Amino acid sequence: MKTIGILGGGQLGSMLSDALQKLGCKVIFYAPEPFSPSFLRTPFFYQACWLDYEKLSSFFSECDIITYEFENVPTELLTKLQQQTGKKIFPSIEILKTTQNRILEKNFLLQHNYPTCQFISIENYDNLIKVTDNFPFPYIIKTAAGGYDGKGQWIINSSNELNQFIKSLTKENFVPLILEEKLSLLQEASCIVARNKQGSSVCFPIFDNIHVNNILHQTTLPSSLPTAVQEKIKMLALQAAQDLDVVGLLTTEFFITKKPSHLDKQKNIEDLYIYINEFAPRPHNSGHITQKSCNFSQFDALARVLLNYPLHSPQLLPGNYCMTNLLGETWLAQDFNNNKTLNLAAWKNFPEVIDITLYGKIEPTSKRKMGHFVTYSNDQKTSILVADTFKEQLS
Ligand code: ADP
Ligand code: MG
């Protein structure tokens, strides 16, 4: 029996462990947070901080293969332990380093000629004033490391807002930043590629993503983008997985616009422009939809790659699907009871809701991802509208 170690204890890890256990694996988690939802899935876990050498080395010694469900893991100790124990991390630590830092990630995109928005790296405090002088509004400033679900991002529309932002920083609290042109988005999309040790790749269908307040709200399938645009997105996602030499999953997030980015000379496809936003070398929130809409899920694909099992091309099942995230707000909005449980009885009136997954997180806080559900219908408008109504009735 193979033992797979998963760094991180969130919902992505929980769902990955289900897929691995179906294939007969033992799964061990390592995560710093007490009550990590993944700890409910298996009796084998380490609750310890990322820099605890003793605990991390004992975790390594117990595992055959290690993966991660979360990017913000410090890599120094991982590198040292990988060398000491010979236990491999998939996708590689090099990929983790590139994708956990927005500056390295954007430089990778530039070096390999991938289309991305205009950006400037701000590596020190003094640069901040110089750099922001010439860049046209609106733009987004993001922390180079550590951000997720829209955290660590500031939208700057005017010099007033810029001055306020600069005032909030000091030389002492400064962390490296990236400034990105704020594109006027027609749509967002993502593409998940699974690539195995032999270098062959399969690609899930393109998902359309709707974000609210910079957090994923809904993912829909099949994509409404023109076929030629979907083909180009797939080509870019497969190429990126190859250029990064991913063994595991690579999710690529895309921006679709009607207007080109500043200085961009690429030709449009069907009047649309395609830009890569960022990568995630792991299962992705948008990919939850694959659990109900494809013949196997993103988690099944990763489990098969990790175990070196043959991988087939995922097939989209007939129909229209919509995955909707349940954030802490759905719990906090309840006015009829205060025991912080959902009104799941509402489900009986919504046959289009085909599944709900709750992550087992104890404290529903604002913007925290607590669960998701999937709706199915013969037409896409219905699957989205029903999802919005159902979500309201859960509170
Ligand atoms: P996270 O790591 O939090 O997912 P992202 O860089 O993907 O960070 O940003 C989250 C969301 O914010 C994006 O999905 C998009 O909706 C919006 N966003 C981020 N960068 C840009 C940009 N340069 N132009 C327009 N919208 C953006
Ligand atoms: Mg993102």
Side-chain angles (χ1 to χ4, degrees):
M1 184 199 265
K2 280 252 158 63
T3 301
I4 313 288
I6 302 179
L7 298 160
Q11 60 275 9
L12 297 169
S14 303
M15 291 180 263
L16 174 59
S17 79
D18 294 346
L20 285 163
Q21 289 178 27
K22 268 190 287 180
L23 298 181
C25 293
K26 176 178 167 184
V27 175
I28 309 183
F29 285 100
Y30 191 106
E33 299 80 18
F35 310 112
S36 289
S38 291
F39 296 169
L40 302 170
R41 291 299 217 276
T42 151
F44 311 109
F45 61 83
Y46 286 79
Q47 191 249 307
C49 82
W50 295 122
L51 303 177
D52 186 329
Y53 176 78
E54 296 292 310
K55 294 268 173 51
L56 204 53
S57 88
S58 157
F59 168 79
F60 265 70
S61 67
E62 280 192 64
C63 300
D64 296 307
I65 295 170
I66 293 152
T67 189
Y68 44 90
E69 60 102 53
F70 174 73
E71 270 120 294
N72 296 323
V73 185
T75 54
E76 240 170 71
L77 250 192
L78 299 183
T79 309
K80 188 171 165 186
L81 286 167
Q82 184 172 259
Q83 276 162 3
Q84 279 175 2
T85 61
K87 305 287 174 72
K88 280 264 166 66
I89 301 184
F90 296 105
S92 72
I93 299 178
E94 283 312 305
I95 297 168
L96 183 59
K97 277 188 193 161
T98 306
T99 56
Q100 71 183 193
N101 183 302
R102 295 185 194 277
I103 296 176
L104 298 180
E105 186 173 63
K106 281 278 195 297
N107 284 335
F108 167 86
L109 291 173
L110 269 194
Q111 278 156 15
H112 291 79
N113 278 322
Y114 287 98
T116 190
C117 67
Q118 283 294 117
F119 71 92
I120 305 183
S121 313
I122 311 176
E123 315 233 19
N124 62 58
Y125 181 79
D126 296 326
N127 263 1
L128 178 66
I129 321 268
K130 261 190 250 156
V131 156
T132 47
D133 245 5
N134 309 321
F135 210 94
F137 299 113
Y139 49 76
I140 305 185
I141 295 180
K142 303 179 181 177
T143 53
Y148 66 98
D149 290 342
K151 293 185 181 99
Q153 299 195 10
W154 299 266
I155 298 175
I156 311 285
N157 293 299
S158 62
S159 35
N160 240 349
E161 288 179 11
L162 174 63
N163 288 338
Q164 271 181 351
F165 176 74
I166 292 176
K167 265 192 208 153
S168 72
L169 296 181
T170 61
K171 267 193 175 174
E172 288 67 44
N173 71 9
F174 183 84
V175 291
L177 301 167
I178 191 164
L179 182 156
E180 286 180 20
E181 155 192 22
K182 184 170 186 292
L183 293 170
S184 179
L185 305 181
L186 177 73
Q187 205 170 315
E188 295 188 58
S190 52
C191 181
I192 299 179
V193 170
R195 187 167 179 275
N196 68 14
K197 289 176 189 156
Q198 292 74 38
S200 58
S201 305
V202 299
C203 182
F204 281 89
I206 312 297
F207 319 134
D208 290 355
N209 295 325
I210 302 164
H211 286 75
V212 175
N213 298 327
N214 292 11
I215 302 183
L216 184 66
H217 167 53
Q218 282 172 331
T219 295
T220 57
L221 253 181
S223 169
S224 59
L225 288 166
T227 312
V229 174
Q230 292 191 45
E231 287 308 315
K232 174 80 182 176
I233 287 177
K234 271 191 188 173
M235 201 270 285
L236 290 167
L238 286 161
Q239 186 66 45
Q242 190 178 319
D243 287 344
L244 284 163
D245 198 13
V246 170
V247 175
L249 296 185
L250 182 74
T251 309
T252 308
E253 296 180 8
F254 290 89
F255 292 148
I256 316 298
T257 68
K258 273 197 169 290
K259 256 180 57 187
S261 148
H262 309 322
L263 311 176
D264 187 10
K265 295 198 179 63
Q266 73 166 305
K267 271 211 253 147
N268 64 45
I269 301 177
E270 308 245 358
D271 292 331
L272 298 176
Y273 295 87
I274 301 167
Y275 298 100
I276 292 184
N277 169 28
E278 62 171 351
F279 298 118
R282 52 161 173 79
H284 191 263
N285 188 171
S286 61
H288 296 350
I289 198 164
T290 60
Q291 289 179 308
K292 288 287 143 187
S293 62
C294 295
N295 60 341
F296 60 89
S297 75
Q298 61 169 348
F299 304 104
D300 297 322
L302 178 54
R304 295 185 75 90
V305 170
L306 293 173
L307 295 177
N308 216 5
Y309 280 21
L311 198 59
H312 301 287
S313 225
Q315 297 302 311
L316 178 60
L317 305 175
N320 294 273
Y321 300 84
C322 173
M323 185 287 304
T324 303
N325 270 337
L326 289 169
L327 303 183
E329 273 73 4
T330 298
W331 279 254
L332 300 171
Q334 296 175 93
D335 47 9
F336 59 93
N337 74 26
N338 55 14
N339 63 0
K340 293 188 180 169
T341 54
L342 289 189
N343 176 28
L344 286 172
W347 195 354
K348 66 175 177 288
N349 301 320
F350 291 88
E352 297 87 350
V353 178
I354 54 173
D355 202 17
I356 303 183
T357 307
L358 299 174
Y359 305 149
K361 295 182 185 174
I362 295 167
E363 202 47 47
T365 52
S366 170
K367 299 189 176 156
R368 188 169 197 207
K369 288 174 180 166
M370 301 291 292
H372 69 266
F373 62 91
V374 177
T375 43
Y376 165 88
S377 172
N378 288 331
D379 72 289
Q380 197 57 286
K381 263 196 186 145
T382 308
S383 74
I384 296 172
L385 279 176
V386 167
D388 286 332
T389 318
F390 177 63
K391 193 177 140 195
E392 269 172 31
Q393 298 209 2
L394 285 173
S395 297

